Amino acid sequence: MRDRHASHSARRAREFEAFVAGAAGRLLHAATLLTAEAPDANPRARRLLALSLAHTYAGWDRLHGEDPYDRARQYLATRFAREIWHRYGVLDRMRRRPGGTLGVLDPHERLILVLRLYEGVAAEQASALLGLPVDRIRTICDRATATLLHPPPAPPRPVTAKAKAATP
């Protein structure tokens, strides 16, 4: 009995290691897009990835033919959504925006844009995952895409005394 349990654990570990080797890079990239961190300095994205992989490993035996990548991506998205809701809530618009291309979007827009365009999740699936109506998912995705294609103008920089003295 003990040998059977050990061989099951070893097989489970090998399967999970193979999954991580194949999927961790794409999941980390998705998490980095969600957090709008720089690819070389992304502690929040790495934390999201670690939590997602840990959750996937914990339920590995219960997958029963389900795609582990889908499970990991779902957890990554819902964890990010919960985190932004609890951390920022309504006050999110007052926070300083992160840098990067997706930094001009608010976290909810980033989440939906990454799910829809980067991960290729259908609007109906994103709707079910996030608990939002399909029309709302499509609207947010369209608005985020338009914002990326036509970014708002940068606010004018304040003129300092040094800059005033340098102009003739």
Side-chain angles (χ1 to χ4, degrees):
M1 182 71 162
R2 184 174 279 177
D3 291 338
R4 199 165 122 209
H5 181 68
S7 68
H8 174 73
S9 295
R11 182 179 51 81
R12 178 182 188 217
R14 281 192 310 274
E15 288 174 353
F16 185 73
E17 285 174 14
F19 164 71
V20 170
R26 185 167 172 91
L27 286 169
L28 178 60
H29 189 69
T32 303
L33 290 173
L34 289 174
T35 60
E37 295 174 310
D40 55 341
N42 53 1
R44 287 183 55 220
R46 290 181 182 279
R47 181 177 169 273
L48 271 174
L49 174 65
L51 291 169
S52 177
L53 291 176
H55 183 266
T56 303
Y57 184 71
W60 192 259
D61 290 334
R62 293 184 305 269
L63 288 175
H64 302 295
E66 185 182 340
D67 185 9
Y69 185 83
D70 284 343
R71 174 76 62 94
R73 181 184 57 216
Q74 286 175 358
Y75 187 80
L76 187 81
T78 55
R79 180 71 186 209
F80 180 75
R82 250 189 327 235
E83 187 176 298
I84 59 175
W85 177 255
H86 288 294
R87 182 177 291 180
Y88 310 122
V90 179
L91 302 176
D92 178 55
R93 299 207 184 270
M94 300 169 140
R95 283 184 32 84
R96 187 177 65 82
R97 300 278 181 197
T101 305
L102 297 183
V104 297
L105 302 175
D106 69 35
H108 298 97
E109 291 172 330
R110 282 196 311 265
L111 174 60
I112 291 169
L113 194 74
V114 168
L115 283 174
R116 295 276 294 124
L117 300 182
Y118 179 71
E119 289 292 328
V121 174
E124 293 77 14
Q125 289 176 311
S127 170
L129 179 65
L130 301 175
L132 295 172
V134 175
D135 291 340
R136 181 78 176 131
I137 296 289
R138 288 189 178 123
T139 301
I140 291 172
C141 187
D142 291 344
R143 184 179 60 216
T145 304
T147 301
L148 289 178
L149 293 175
H150 309 287
R157 299 172 87 182
V159 179
T160 61
K162 189 176 185 179
K164 283 183 185 178
T167 58

